Amino acid sequence: MDSGNRSNPQLRRDLCYSNMETRKSASPSVIVIGGGMAGVAAARALYDASFQVVLLESRDRLGGRVHTDYSFGFPVDLGASWLHGVSKENPLAPLIGRLGLPLYRTSGDNSVLYDHDLESYALFDMDGNQVPQDLVTRVGEVFALILEETNKVREEFSEDMSISRAFSIVFDRRPDLRLEGIEHKVLQWYLCRMEGWFAADAETISLKSWDQAKLLPGGHGLMVRGYLPVINTLAKGLDIRLGHRVTKIVRRYNGVKVTVEDGKSFVADAAIVAVPLGVLKSKTIKFEPKLPDWKEAAIADLGVGLENKIALHFEKVFWPNVEFLGVVAETSYGCSYFLNLHKATGHPVLVYMPAGQLAKDIEKMSDEAAANFAFVELKKILPDASAPINYLVSHWGTDVNTLGSYSYDEVGKPHDLYERLRIPVDNLFFAGEATSMSFPGSLHGAFSTGLMAAEDCRMRVLERYGELDLFQPVMGEDDLVSVPLLISRL
């Protein structure tokens, strides 16, 4: 694309703002705000389309809610760690395949536990007694029946309600589905895992919309070496400014001006806003002029859930050789779930993953107290457990760069809020998992919306430059090459 002789006098005047970075050329330019999966994907696509791109990231690292930590001496994902839908239908799959990154399969399609199945697990009660697997299977079948019954409730009631209330109605109508004793506790554990999937409590999850997201075929695979290699590959060669926290975005008909915390400003033809929904909700970024009411309503009405990880590193393995361990209890709040990384990676690590209100309560603790809480939960089922030699604790809810884990449908709010959040406003484009109506809360959702925002932005900007080529895709044809994914189950 040859646009070096083109210029815009009004944009040249904009460059007179004090303490402002000047452009290197008059080629089409975009500022990407947020260095998570969506932002990096958008920046990569536009850079490859010969745009001048600068990516502004508030943290001192790339990845956003992709956070692969190496302090144990090996990779541990404290954020996103699964590929949901190990198939060519997943837009991330070709990239992961080309990089040769191995996946560990944790479930096939249509599991009632989503990213796990009942092939390799061990559930225990609070006294450390293992729950018989045939009982767990039977309760899983009951849980699936309850979910089917909630569909009938959804069809009968015009107003929305929570999953929790729908369960109560089902139990009133079908007392045969009520369980007692250990079976009730196992049922609560299933509900706990459902809450983990949405990172929210059943009292807040919408009955109308809870199953509206698309589940891709191919089952679910855990990234054995972490997700950071994917981020680094996409980011290679990009102009990335770490430690640049955006405080203001000014949009005009002829461009945008983005100001960061230290007062420095950047100008470009357009901007892609790829910050987490929680950050948008906090209003720490000021928009001038303010965003339209419909856009602000979408930001306000979408739910942001919370799920954290507490990774416990042990000197050696002392637990069963299964993919996950669980503690059943009288309430879903009291249940626990531990992911066994040793099964997938060979390292002696268990990851405790609380969600919803429990995650919020644990975030109020110090890291040491949080790790001890997880270890106490573990000792309930394995009384002879040795103490961890190290630990890692995520804080997605209180981290000012995220203020939550991922989006979900709240009671009474329409599912198309995701699409409303995605729709551009003039020369501002939006990306991220919370802008994906089909794949909210997922990394492939974030990736695909980054590409979508890049393409929308490219067409809008080049149309103004008079250089639009409708036959030039943002991503090159090389991305269409199918590479087999390396997935296995030990």
Side-chain angles (χ1 to χ4, degrees):
M1 181 187 309
D2 181 14
S3 56
N5 295 326
R6 298 178 186 273
S7 64
N8 186 317
Q10 289 168 315
L11 277 181
R12 284 206 308 273
R13 287 197 295 271
D14 282 347
L15 291 175
C16 295
Y17 288 126
S18 63
N19 195 23
M20 183 173 293
E21 295 217 344
T22 57
R23 296 195 214 171
K24 298 176 183 176
S25 70
S27 61
S29 57
V30 176
I31 299 165
V32 177
I33 303 164
M37 178 60 82
V40 173
R44 172 86 266 154
L46 287 169
Y47 177 85
D48 289 348
S50 301
F51 272 58
Q52 183 181 331
V53 182
V54 60
L55 188 153
L56 307 178
E57 166 56 43
S58 60
R59 288 186 174 88
D60 60 0
R61 64 170 180 83
L62 270 183
R65 285 166 284 178
V66 169
H67 184 195
T68 307
D69 189 286
Y70 293 86
S71 60
F72 288 173
F74 48 83
V76 175
D77 274 326
L78 291 177
S81 54
W82 266 273
L83 181 66
H84 298 297
V86 185
S87 62
K88 62 182 180 181
E89 286 84 356
N90 191 315
L92 264 179
L95 177 56
I96 292 171
R98 282 201 308 276
L99 293 176
L101 294 172
L103 292 157
Y104 179 85
R105 185 183 297 279
T106 59
S107 80
D109 293 329
N110 303 318
S111 171
V112 72
L113 292 174
Y114 295 102
D115 48 15
H116 280 294
D117 54 31
L118 295 178
E119 185 171 315
S120 179
Y121 73 98
L123 292 189
F124 299 82
D125 64 19
M126 291 286 193
D127 297 322
N129 301 310
Q130 186 166 351
V131 181
Q133 295 198 351
D134 59 341
L135 187 151
V136 177
T137 301
R138 288 200 309 273
V139 174
E141 293 168 353
V142 172
F143 187 68
L145 283 174
I146 293 171
L147 292 178
E148 289 179 14
E149 290 295 318
T150 62
N151 285 332
K152 299 177 183 177
V153 175
R154 175 165 54 186
E155 293 168 0
E156 293 175 21
F157 286 79
S158 58
E159 76 275 11
D160 196 10
M161 67 180 72
S162 69
I163 285 289
S164 178
R165 185 186 166 204
F167 272 41
S168 296
I169 293 174
V170 169
F171 290 141
D172 288 341
R173 294 178 175 183
R174 293 282 307 272
D176 58 304
L177 296 179
R178 285 185 181 273
L179 302 177
E180 304 292 338
I182 188 64
E183 291 183 334
H184 167 77
K185 295 176 182 179
V186 173
L187 183 66
Q188 290 300 305
W189 186 85
Y190 275 98
L191 181 60
C192 168
R193 293 311 305 140
M194 181 181 186
E195 292 173 330
W197 180 260
F198 293 100
D201 297 315
E203 290 81 8
T204 66
I205 301 170
S206 165
L207 173 65
K208 293 284 187 186
S209 302
W210 74 272
D211 59 352
Q212 296 306 296
K214 295 180 182 177
L215 293 177
L216 294 175
H220 305 267
L222 192 70
M223 296 289 290
V224 175
R225 297 177 190 165
Y227 257 118
L228 187 58
V230 179
I231 294 290
N232 288 341
T233 298
L234 290 170
K236 188 175 182 180
L238 299 180
D239 182 359
I240 295 168
R241 315 294 177 91
L242 299 177
H244 281 57
R245 187 180 306 280
V246 171
T247 57
K248 184 189 291 187
I249 302 172
V250 179
R251 71 182 191 277
R252 295 183 173 85
Y253 73 92
N254 62 326
V256 296
K257 175 188 174 187
V258 176
T259 304
V260 296
E261 208 166 38
D262 67 359
K264 183 183 293 184
S265 295
F266 300 79
V267 291
D269 295 308
I272 294 177
V273 180
V275 301
L277 175 60
V279 174
L280 290 176
K281 283 178 173 288
S282 72
K283 299 185 177 180
T284 52
I285 298 176
K286 184 178 181 181
F287 292 87
E288 291 185 4
K290 80 178 195 67
L291 295 173
D293 290 345
W294 59 266
K295 178 70 78 173
E296 290 191 338
I299 293 170
D301 290 347
L302 274 171
V304 177
L306 179 61
E307 183 177 48
N308 275 316
K309 292 184 177 180
I310 302 173
L312 304 177
H313 182 200
F314 297 92
E315 188 172 357
K316 61 182 180 179
V317 175
F318 53 80
W319 53 87
N321 184 32
V322 293
E323 288 172 9
F324 67 88
L325 305 170
V327 182
V328 303
E330 285 289 342
T331 64
S332 62
Y333 181 93
C335 295
S336 297
Y337 160 81
F338 290 87
L339 175 66
N340 176 17
L341 284 189
H342 184 263
K343 186 76 171 172
T345 69
H347 299 296
V349 175
L350 292 174
V351 184
Y352 177 66
M353 295 172 62
Q357 187 59 48
L358 178 59
K360 294 176 184 177
D361 291 343
I362 293 175
E363 270 206 357
K364 298 172 185 175
M365 304 177 184
S366 66
D367 283 5
E368 182 180 5
N372 186 63
F373 181 92
F375 183 57
V376 169
E377 289 295 299
L378 182 63
K379 283 184 74 72
K380 289 177 182 177
I381 60 177
L382 299 172
D384 297 327
S386 59
I389 58 176
N390 207 347
Y391 56 81
L392 293 167
V393 182
S394 69
H395 311 86
W396 297 115
T398 53
D399 183 343
V400 296
N401 302 293
T402 52
L403 299 175
S405 295
Y406 42 86
S407 59
Y408 73 99
D409 292 279
E410 286 192 334
V411 178
K413 308 301 181 183
H415 187 68
D416 67 358
L417 288 174
Y418 297 103
E419 178 64 12
R420 295 186 211 176
L421 184 56
R422 187 197 67 81
I423 294 173
V425 177
D426 301 327
N427 47 7
L428 288 185
F429 300 83
F430 294 81
E433 56 82 15
T435 68
S436 175
M437 195 157 78
S438 297
F439 312 116
S442 71
L443 206 58
H444 60 274
F447 179 74
S448 61
T449 61
L451 299 185
M452 193 182 308
E455 177 64 3
D456 290 346
C457 179
R458 183 186 75 87
M459 295 185 70
R460 179 80 62 90
V461 172
L462 292 187
E463 185 177 29
R464 204 182 77 205
Y465 271 71
E467 298 179 4
L468 181 61
D469 179 2
L470 292 177
F471 299 99
Q472 178 191 1
V474 164
M475 301 297 279
E477 291 186 4
D478 288 344
D479 293 287
L480 300 179
V481 177
S482 177
V483 179
L485 288 162
L486 303 175
I487 185 163
S488 63
R489 192 168 205 164
L490 300 179

